[in-house]
Amino acid sequence: QVQLVESGGGLVQPGGSLRLSCAASGSIFSINIMAWYRQAPGKERELVAVISSGGITNYVDSVKGRFTISRDNAKNTVYLQMNSLKPEDTAVYHCQANVAQKPGVNINFWGKGTQVTVSS
């Protein structure tokens, strides 16, 4: 089995910054795409940012220029640096990893999430 554990959430004022981390552990042969999603109360889960194993990134328009996704393949960890935070960024942030536990068998795993609240 594979576990994803997020950390780094919290309460921050508008304009502030937070850095989220998500570490994968368990039976891992390789990790392909890693991503951050978020879900605000009463809304559907939204893809925020994604990064390939080679470092190619993509972002939802609402966070472009403010958020940066990165990963440390040696540590099986993905990060989300969030700057210039806005109240509308308030949500539970979940990481997702597409993991091969053996060659040719890929499964998506999810973390339980970390709360980010942007409020004055």
Side-chain angles (χ1 to χ4, degrees):
Q1 195 54 275
V2 174
Q3 297 79 39
L4 300 181
V5 179
E6 302 101 335
S7 60
L11 173 64
V12 64
Q13 292 186 341
S17 298
L18 284 174
R19 188 189 193 213
L20 306 183
S21 300
C22 173
S25 62
S27 179
I28 298 172
F29 175 76
S30 65
I31 301 180
N32 301 310
I33 290 173
M34 302 185 83
W36 287 96
Y37 286 75
R38 66 185 178 188
Q39 188 165 20
K43 294 187 177 181
E44 295 186 354
R45 187 171 291 187
E46 172 188 45
L47 175 61
V48 176
V50 61
I51 185 167
S52 72
S53 58
I56 298 173
T57 61
N58 204 359
Y59 301 88
V60 67
D61 285 346
S62 59
V63 308
K64 285 181 179 177
R66 301 189 297 122
F67 291 10
T68 302
I69 188 171
S70 61
R71 63 191 284 175
D72 185 332
N73 291 330
K75 296 181 179 180
N76 289 334
T77 299
V78 63
Y79 306 95
L80 187 67
Q81 178 67 44
M82 305 185 294
N83 299 329
S84 302
L85 282 161
K86 304 175 181 180
E88 51 264 42
D89 295 318
T90 295
V92 177
Y93 284 70
H94 299 266
C95 69
Q96 181 199 61
N98 182 259
V99 177
Q101 294 186 279
K102 58 182 179 181
V105 180
N106 292 76
I107 302 173
N108 286 329
F109 291 93
W110 289 88
K112 293 183 178 180
T114 184
Q115 176 71 47
V116 171
T117 303
V118 185
S119 175
S120 55

